[in-house]
Amino acid sequence: MGFHLLPRERILLPGCLIVLVGLFVAVAPGRPLALLDAAVLDWLGNHFHGLVGGVLTQVYRATGVGFTAVLVAMALVHLLRRRWWKDLRLLVMATGGILILVDLVFKPLFSRQRPPGSLLPLDGHSFPSGHAAGAVAFYFAMVVILGSHHPRQRRTLAVVACALVGLVWLSTLYVRAHWPTDLLAGAAVGLAWLTVCLACWRDPPPADPQSGTARPLRSP
């Protein structure tokens, strides 16, 4: 297993780190971005009621750790039955690694408190959002895996993944489990980690028979 970054990914990785640290600095108490965080949550609470609010609450409950674990297990079984071993390693690395990064590294490091007034009992730290990071890592890893075997469905898969991630994010904000900037930070972590995973999953560039050097990598 090698490690092969595309040229744009060499910029993306440090960019995600800058976004993560920059957001944390920008949401210090009293700063404009922290005030905007609170304003967004208040707006959602004031405008989403009744059936819509109930649906979003259930979406958040349904997309918790337990349900996500079932989805990941089903995906792993599918990859095992297909004998897509390389794809199996990608999914294990993407989903297992993101849990370690968020829960054991970044959340204890930043120690940001969750928003007050949560609609559900929650514990732990808030920044970055594990919901956001995990959704990006899992759903878009599946887009890459399934899209590599079914290229004609790649755009449809990407649209579905975006819709699912957006719904998870909206539900997370509605129940006041995270601040909006937690989600942005989680997306940055998820994207960065998925990029690392794809660099390990991607085949090395073929050597140029004339020069003996590797040809530039292209996206799968």
Side-chain angles (χ1 to χ4, degrees):
M1 182 173 66
F3 188 79
H4 310 285
L5 284 172
L6 299 176
R8 64 174 177 268
E9 292 172 346
R10 298 189 184 109
I11 300 174
L12 179 64
L13 280 177
C16 288
L17 179 60
I18 291 171
V19 168
L20 176 68
V21 175
L23 283 172
F24 182 73
V25 172
V27 295
R31 292 196 172 182
L33 199 54
L35 300 177
L36 180 60
D37 263 349
V40 170
L41 294 187
D42 290 342
W43 186 91
L44 289 174
N46 292 333
H47 289 81
F48 285 25
H49 302 287
L51 179 61
V52 174
V55 168
L56 289 175
T57 302
Q58 294 306 315
V59 167
Y60 181 81
R61 284 176 170 158
T63 55
V65 174
F67 180 76
T68 303
V70 171
L71 279 183
V72 172
M74 291 173 61
L76 292 175
V77 169
H78 176 72
L79 299 180
L80 279 169
R81 293 182 63 184
R82 292 281 187 170
R83 298 176 184 263
W84 294 346
W85 307 122
K86 188 175 71 167
D87 300 334
L88 181 68
R89 290 194 298 269
L90 168 62
L91 188 59
V92 170
M93 184 177 177
T95 54
I98 200 66
L99 289 176
I100 295 172
L101 277 175
V102 173
D103 292 339
L104 300 183
V105 178
F106 289 122
K107 282 193 175 186
L109 176 65
F110 293 113
S111 300
R112 188 186 190 190
Q113 297 300 310
R114 291 185 184 271
S118 172
L119 302 183
L120 297 172
L122 299 167
D123 55 13
H125 299 299
S126 183
F127 185 98
S129 166
H131 250 67
V136 168
F138 171 65
Y139 288 116
F140 288 104
M142 290 305 300
V143 168
V144 171
I145 290 170
L146 296 177
S148 68
H149 295 280
H150 307 284
R152 293 183 179 179
Q153 303 300 321
R154 189 175 296 167
R155 181 172 297 179
T156 300
L157 291 168
V159 170
V160 172
C162 288
L164 289 173
V165 170
L167 185 60
V168 169
W169 285 23
L170 184 59
S171 70
T172 302
L173 294 176
Y174 175 76
V175 302
R176 301 179 73 92
H178 286 286
W179 305 99
T181 46
D182 295 340
L183 300 185
L184 296 177
V189 173
L191 181 59
W193 180 242
L194 182 58
T195 299
V196 171
C197 295
L198 291 177
C200 296
W201 169 83
R202 187 180 293 119
D203 289 330
D208 189 324
Q210 295 182 345
S211 65
T213 59
R215 296 173 185 171
L217 283 166
R218 289 187 288 183
S219 300

